[in-house]
Amino acid sequence: MTDTTTSRTMQETGSEPSAPLVFRIEGMDCAEEVSVLRDELASLVGGEQHLAFDVLRGRMIVRDPERRVGPEEIVDAIARTGMRASPWRDDRSDGGDESARSSRTGLTIACAVLGAGGFAAHAFSAGSVGAALGEGAEGGIPLAVRVLYGVAIAAGGVHVLPKAWSAVRRLRPDMNLLMTVAVAGAIGIGEWLEATTVTLLFAVSLALESWSVGRARRAVEKLLSVAPPTARLINEPGGPREVAPEEVHVGQTVLVKPGERIPLDGRVASGESDVDQSPITGESRPVEKAPGDEVFAGTVNGAGALEVTCEKAAADSTLAHVVRLVAEAHAGRSPAEQWVERFARVYTPAVLGLALAVLLVPPLVFDGAWGEWLYRALVLLVIGCPCALVISTPVSIVSALAASARHGVLIKGGVYVEMPARLRVVAMDKTGTLTEGRFAVVEVVPLAGHGEADLIERVAALEQHSNHPIARAIVAHAEERGLALPPVEGFQTIAGKGATGRVEGREYWLGSHRYLEERGQETPEIHDRLEAMSAAGRTVVVVGNSEHVCGLIAIADAVRPEAARTVAEIREAGIERVVMLTGDNRGTAEAVGRATGVDEVQAELLPADKVAAVEELVRRYGTVAMVGDGVNDAPALARASLGIAMGAAGSDAAIETADVALMSDQLDRIPWLVRHARRTLSIIRQNIVVSIGVKIVFVALTFVGLATLWTAIAADMGVSLLVILNALRLLRPHRDT
């Protein structure tokens, strides 16, 4: 609720609003369950505008309920939906959620074991597996077998039945009611194996959904580990002391030593250093910081000590906003409902109503025989049992997931298997996605008569004394060329500028364009050359001695060799637009954009800016994928229609937040994923048409008295087998994938 709305409510009621009631909800793992809670609680709290939900953290907030309901009433109402609620505590671990997930997993395993035991016992008593599969007449299954099947169904459906009853009370059929009706119908006509199978499949899908959401919740907590646990306060009475970042007030100064993470957002008060801002901005190279420059919590200080004046409390830091953006993006996401859930709202009551009509209307209106029409109603209920529908979709999804895993693509759920088929735009991060995320020497310019090998030898000899990423890139380049590095005497680092040292008896210096200007050795020709190289998005190391500039070495984050080809293949796969979103500077971003052939470049973006850019693309195009690898990409990954993380080198936060992870870091898996999703969606649609088509035919045969219970069961099992075999085709290689 906005502040304006809150003020208006206070004026109308003439009283202060009560404090929000916050609950942890066990079992709230998707948008369907949020809808159930809204329906149940809206009238109780005075309207659904007083309710807010955070699916990612399993949290519900009741703001200023007009009826001033107590927490006990809300907990009781939530219990009626089949979910459980308890007061929220910020310091509470997710032990309760873990316990609930463990219980669900245990019950699912028990359902599978007991169901298998029942089938084995039936096969043994009947004398063959075929007899156990074909037995359908009531009373034909031994009591012990029915008991095993019954206990298996109870174990798998214990979490489903309360939700199904809630759907009945609300007159809003959902997947829980669909499954319950299917199981009850199968039991009613003696198909205990069929009832157990449907229960098990549904229990497995719920367990996987709960597990996936649990991992996403833990990923948000991992984001916090980027920030250091302590801050070193200085200029305070009593001398320097270490405190928690939360205890630092705006205006206080902290000392950040070389190599440490910066604990809070602020500005440099004293010192010069280079800071690795990639965890927050995605900047591919360290950024030089001097007094007055802004720094962010969670970024890594370089070689110089910095005194930072805090400008934001820990809860308001850019890193804290990243954490909140991930949670809000997940909470605000509207995942596409499974087609079975939508279909069930019409299909389930229609089948039940039709079966009841078949049972009652002919005997009561046309004086038909009760026994005959009861039998036809049972046939209709059997053929109406959605087993083929329920089974075909999970098998299609599992097959698609398995095929994806073989190609190094980890997809985290069925809804994300289908989503790539509907994409119109792919947005991609630069560093670590379109580029390799590491520096490399891309150009060497010898000057004043120096040779390229000699220049590299001298620079690498000096740089081997530094741990700076640029230094490591130059040393690695020398090693790749097999160059022998001469010894260095009197090496000295010039903080924030460069370094000097004596190589083979002669003094050399190296540094940035700014350091060259300070030394007064720049010429117009060298200046123009440096400006051109910098405009191409390259970092340039200038090398010289007391007499002249010896040469220039250009360093850049290397573009992935397959990047340009992949961008072209993404377009060939039917994607309308490829956009690059990066926190890097405009010059570097434009250079990479030209090299890869993307349609649009947006640069110098903070995490919140990336989220805004993705939201704008979603508004304009509808379905958008975001591809990234860093903590700073996590909010945008969560907000996109489909989040794709570079898995091999990506951060835990990006991988856990994303819907798809490319475990091999191969960009060409993206167009493959689009084609694979389209094939999967085609097979699912084929299964739907076949399943419903056969049922329509048998409904017609039932009305004219040509269908029997046995043919209905055979048809239902046959269709189930057919759609399963069709779904398994996804496991085979295909020319389009």
Side-chain angles (χ1 to χ4, degrees):
M1 183 188 298
T2 65
D3 293 339
T4 303
T5 305
T6 302
S7 300
R8 185 168 60 249
T9 302
M10 290 171 59
Q11 294 170 2
E12 292 170 354
T13 61
S15 62
E16 293 290 328
S18 59
L21 299 175
V22 187
F23 299 90
R24 181 183 296 272
I25 310 297
E26 294 181 13
M28 185 179 71
D29 295 324
C30 68
E32 175 66 25
E33 284 143 354
V34 169
S35 178
V36 170
L37 289 169
R38 279 203 179 97
D39 289 346
E40 186 68 35
L41 298 173
S43 60
L44 185 65
V45 302
E48 65 178 45
Q49 70 271 19
H50 297 303
L51 298 170
F53 298 91
D54 180 353
V55 176
L56 187 63
R57 302 176 70 189
R59 187 173 65 158
M60 182 189 76
I61 302 172
V62 182
R63 296 191 178 99
D64 186 28
E66 294 178 0
R67 300 189 179 184
R68 301 297 190 266
V69 293
E72 296 82 5
E73 295 175 78
I74 294 176
V75 169
D76 291 341
I78 292 172
R80 291 195 294 269
T81 69
M83 290 173 264
R84 292 192 296 175
S86 59
W88 177 271
R89 294 203 307 271
D90 286 328
D91 60 346
R92 174 179 168 180
S93 68
D94 66 348
D97 294 333
E98 290 293 342
S99 176
R101 282 191 286 271
S102 298
S103 173
R104 188 190 297 273
T105 301
L107 288 170
T108 303
I109 294 173
C111 176
V113 172
L114 290 167
F119 180 77
H122 193 188
F124 178 79
S125 63
S128 69
V129 171
L133 289 172
E135 184 61 62
E138 187 175 356
I141 300 177
L143 177 61
V145 174
R146 278 182 282 172
V147 168
L148 285 172
Y149 281 149
V151 177
I153 292 169
V158 67
H159 292 293
V160 177
L161 192 57
K163 295 180 180 180
W165 174 242
S166 175
V168 172
R169 288 193 306 103
R170 293 181 293 109
L171 299 179
R172 185 177 174 180
D174 60 7
M175 187 64 185
N176 297 288
L177 183 59
L178 180 68
M179 193 281 294
T180 302
V181 170
V183 170
I187 291 175
I189 51 85
E191 280 298 316
W192 289 85
L193 175 60
E194 190 171 348
T196 305
T197 302
V198 173
T199 302
L200 176 61
L201 287 171
F202 196 70
V204 169
S205 69
L206 292 179
L208 289 175
E209 180 182 73
S210 178
W211 172 81
S212 176
V213 172
R215 293 194 67 185
R217 288 171 183 163
R218 291 192 296 274
V220 175
E221 297 175 358
K222 288 182 181 179
L223 289 174
L224 293 172
S225 64
V226 175
T230 61
R232 190 177 294 102
L233 274 175
I234 59 174
N235 302 332
E236 297 291 314
R241 57 192 176 94
E242 292 191 355
V243 298
E246 292 78 13
E247 298 179 29
V248 179
H249 302 295
V250 174
Q252 290 184 300
T253 302
V254 298
L255 174 65
V256 185
K257 294 182 178 180
E260 293 183 342
R261 288 187 181 272
I262 297 173
L264 298 151
D265 286 7
R267 291 192 180 275
V268 177
S270 176
E272 293 185 356
S273 183
D274 54 283
V275 175
D276 178 6
Q277 297 191 151
S278 59
I280 300 298
T281 67
E283 191 86 10
S284 61
R285 59 189 181 212
V287 179
E288 295 180 359
K289 298 293 182 180
D293 290 340
E294 185 179 21
V295 292
F296 303 106
T299 57
V300 183
N301 188 22
L306 295 176
E307 293 182 7
V308 177
T309 301
C310 174
E311 292 190 334
K312 294 179 182 177
D316 293 327
S317 69
T318 302
L319 177 62
H321 283 299
V322 170
V323 176
R324 283 195 289 273
L325 283 168
V326 173
E328 290 169 4
H330 268 285
R333 186 197 295 269
S334 298
E337 291 181 300
Q338 295 290 339
W339 69 267
V340 172
E341 292 176 318
R342 297 195 301 269
F343 188 74
R345 294 181 182 179
V346 177
Y347 180 82
T348 301
V351 169
L352 291 175
L354 192 58
L356 187 62
V358 168
L359 173 63
L360 298 178
V361 173
L364 294 177
V365 178
F366 302 106
D367 199 27
W370 283 98
E372 177 185 350
W373 289 103
L374 172 61
Y375 183 81
R376 293 190 184 185
L378 288 175
V379 172
L380 185 60
L381 190 60
V382 171
I383 197 59
C385 181
C387 291
L389 295 173
V390 171
I391 291 172
S392 66
T393 303
V395 174
S396 300
I397 296 302
V398 169
S399 298
L401 293 174
S404 299
R406 290 178 182 176
H407 288 79
V409 179
L410 176 62
I411 304 177
K412 297 184 179 179
V415 66
Y416 309 121
V417 172
E418 302 177 19
M419 181 59 71
R422 304 185 177 97
L423 291 176
R424 297 181 62 191
V425 176
V426 173
M428 308 179 80
D429 177 46
K430 180 185 74 67
T431 307
T433 302
L434 286 170
T435 66
E436 295 181 351
R438 59 180 178 84
F439 286 119
V441 175
V442 294
E443 185 179 6
V444 179
V445 182
L447 300 172
H450 291 272
E452 182 176 321
D454 292 340
L455 186 67
I456 290 292
E457 284 179 357
R458 285 162 175 75
V459 177
L462 291 170
E463 294 284 34
Q464 67 181 335
H465 297 276
S466 172
N467 287 322
H468 195 285
I470 291 177
R472 291 197 296 268
I474 294 174
V475 173
H477 182 72
E479 292 175 348
E480 290 173 2
R481 296 187 56 173
L483 301 178
L485 305 185
V488 176
E489 299 175 349
F491 177 82
Q492 183 178 358
T493 298
I494 304 173
K497 298 179 181 179
T500 62
R502 186 173 294 276
V503 182
E504 296 180 338
R506 186 160 189 177
E507 190 80 17
Y508 287 91
W509 58 265
L510 55 86
S512 63
H513 188 178
R514 185 176 67 179
Y515 184 51
L516 172 64
E517 292 174 342
E518 290 181 6
R519 292 185 62 90
Q521 293 182 259
E522 185 179 36
T523 65
E525 180 183 358
I526 292 177
H527 175 84
D528 293 342
R529 189 67 175 265
L530 284 169
E531 289 296 321
M533 295 171 77
S534 296
R538 298 172 176 181
T539 298
V540 184
V541 176
V542 185
V543 188
N545 54 35
S546 59
E547 299 176 358
H548 55 249
V549 175
C550 303
L552 311 174
I553 299 178
I555 312 294
D557 183 9
V559 175
R560 290 177 180 267
E562 74 275 18
R565 184 183 71 252
T566 297
V567 170
E569 290 180 356
I570 289 174
R571 291 198 192 92
E572 291 174 2
I575 303 300
E576 297 178 21
R577 195 166 184 81
V578 182
V579 180
M580 185 174 76
L581 306 177
T582 179
D584 217 336
N585 65 77
R586 172 63 60 179
T588 300
E590 293 287 357
V592 174
R594 289 190 296 271
T596 56
V598 298
D599 299 300
E600 180 182 343
V601 174
Q602 297 187 35
E604 300 175 2
L605 304 177
L606 289 172
D609 300 325
K610 286 189 178 182
V611 172
V614 169
E615 288 177 341
E616 175 61 20
L617 290 171
V618 170
R619 186 190 67 79
R620 287 162 51 193
Y621 295 98
T623 50
V624 177
M626 174 66 193
V627 188
D629 74 318
V631 171
N632 63 92
D633 299 320
L637 290 170
R639 183 61 189 90
S641 310
L642 185 74
I644 304 175
M646 305 297 288
S651 71
D652 288 343
I655 295 171
E656 294 291 352
T657 303
D659 309 311
V660 178
L662 307 182
M663 304 313 294
S664 60
D665 270 1
Q666 293 179 310
L667 278 179
D668 61 2
R669 296 298 84 190
I670 297 173
W672 178 90
L673 179 64
V674 173
R675 295 191 296 268
H676 180 61
R678 289 175 179 165
R679 185 181 178 214
T680 301
L681 197 57
S682 174
I683 286 180
I684 290 176
R685 288 170 176 165
Q686 292 168 14
N687 287 344
I688 293 173
V689 171
V690 170
S691 300
I692 296 178
V694 170
K695 292 182 185 301
I696 291 174
V697 170
F698 266 80
V699 167
L701 292 175
T702 299
F703 276 105
V704 297
L706 297 179
T708 66
L709 194 60
W710 292 108
T711 56
I713 293 172
D716 189 60
M717 293 181 64
V719 172
S720 297
L721 181 59
L722 180 63
V723 297
I724 288 173
L725 293 176
N726 190 41
L728 292 177
R729 291 195 300 121
L730 288 166
L731 293 173
R732 299 201 306 266
H734 191 265
R735 59 182 176 85
D736 293 333
T737 58

